Amino acid sequence: MAIQILIADDHAIVRSGLRLLLDRQVDMEVVAEAGDGVEAVERTLAERPDLAILDVGMPRLTGLQATRKIRAHAPGIAVLVLSMHDDERYLIEALEAGAGAYVLKREADQELVTAARAVVAGDCPLEAQVSTLNGGPDERLTPREREVVKLIAEAHTNRQIADVLHLSEKTVESHRGNVLRKLGMRDRVELVRYAIREGLMEA
């Protein structure tokens, strides 16, 4: 079944270009469009696509604000953020809002389709980008991963963590695996020690 996608951008010509690119893919179908952030949230919650592609700079609600609302009300819907801004602050904010990928508009023709497939499959390419900014993939956890570590250390189940962070269980499992790999750890006991050492929870 084709990946169902909503596109939100306040420029109709940009939406048309994105639709052409995505509809050419045999495994993708654009099912809805929106011209601003409020409409993006409303249409996404009404249509329930697999993926919402949101421009960062939209009227009424920004793409990041819309991402937070969509992820809060429909955590099973993946979000990909499109932006003109090659700025690490936007990357971090997008990740914290719950987006799974951040694609620059100037690179959309090469990167968008690949990123869209990855996010819908449960991957989070944006985490790798932010981790690299933080000094390399094995040196620091993303803000989201630190939240997951704290909740794992407090003995929450994947389902409970998913509910608290408005994520899917599959995404939580992915976070858990990434954290263990980055920290070179094998189990929850080691994560508890790490969480206490890092001040994520009280001893």
Side-chain angles (χ1 to χ4, degrees), residues 18-66:
L18 294 173
R19 179 183 276 273
L20 279 172
L21 173 66
L22 296 167
D23 278 343
R24 278 206 307 263
Q25 313 304 314
V26 295
D27 60 339
M28 295 183 179
E29 178 188 6
V30 176
V31 295
E33 295 184 18
D36 63 55
V38 170
E39 187 184 5
V41 174
E42 291 173 348
R43 295 291 312 269
T44 299
L45 297 181
E47 300 287 341
R48 298 281 167 160
D50 301 302
L51 172 67
I53 296 177
L54 310 178
D55 178 33
V56 163
M58 292 188 290
R60 296 212 285 168
L61 282 178
T62 69
L64 299 181
Q65 291 170 325

Side-chain angles (χ1 to χ4, degrees), residues 19-193:
R19 179 183 276 273
L20 279 172
L21 173 66
L22 296 167
D23 278 343
R24 278 206 307 263
Q25 313 304 314
V26 295
D27 60 339
M28 295 183 179
E29 178 188 6
V30 176
V31 295
E33 295 184 18
D36 63 55
V38 170
E39 187 184 5
V41 174
E42 291 173 348
R43 295 291 312 269
T44 299
L45 297 181
E47 300 287 341
R48 298 281 167 160
D50 301 302
L51 172 67
I53 296 177
L54 310 178
D55 178 33
V56 163
M58 292 188 290
R60 296 212 285 168
L61 282 178
T62 69
L64 299 181
Q65 291 170 325
T67 297
R68 288 189 185 92
K69 287 184 176 292
I70 289 167
R71 298 292 292 165
H73 291 94
I77 296 175
V79 177
L80 182 154
V81 170
L82 268 180
S83 177
M84 294 186 302
H85 307 288
D86 191 1
D87 185 323
E88 66 183 57
R89 290 174 302 171
Y90 284 97
L91 284 170
I92 293 167
E93 286 181 29
L95 180 63
E96 291 177 342
Y102 184 100
V103 176
L104 294 174
K105 284 188 174 180
R106 66 172 180 264
E107 298 173 356
D109 55 337
Q110 294 97 17
E111 303 291 336
L112 183 62
V113 170
T114 301
R117 289 191 181 113
V119 172
V120 171
D123 295 332
C124 187
L126 180 51
E127 279 196 350
Q129 289 173 271
V130 172
S131 295
T132 301
L133 289 174
N134 286 339
D138 297 315
E139 292 183 22
R140 276 186 60 182
L141 302 182
T142 66
R144 176 67 80 193
E145 286 170 342
R146 289 173 69 84
E147 288 180 310
V148 170
V149 168
K150 179 180 185 295
L151 292 168
I152 291 172
E154 291 172 350
H156 292 281
T157 65
N158 283 357
R159 177 70 266 167
Q160 291 168 331
I161 295 171
D163 289 342
V164 170
L165 299 180
H166 305 297
L167 301 171
S168 68
E169 280 191 73
K170 188 172 181 181
T171 300
V172 172
E173 289 171 11
S174 176
H175 283 312
R176 185 190 286 261
N178 287 340
V179 165
L180 291 172
R181 176 180 52 77
K182 284 183 180 183
L183 299 177
M185 296 177 181
R186 292 166 303 191
D187 56 32
R188 183 181 158 268
V189 174
E190 291 180 299
L191 281 179
V192 170
R193 293 192 190 116

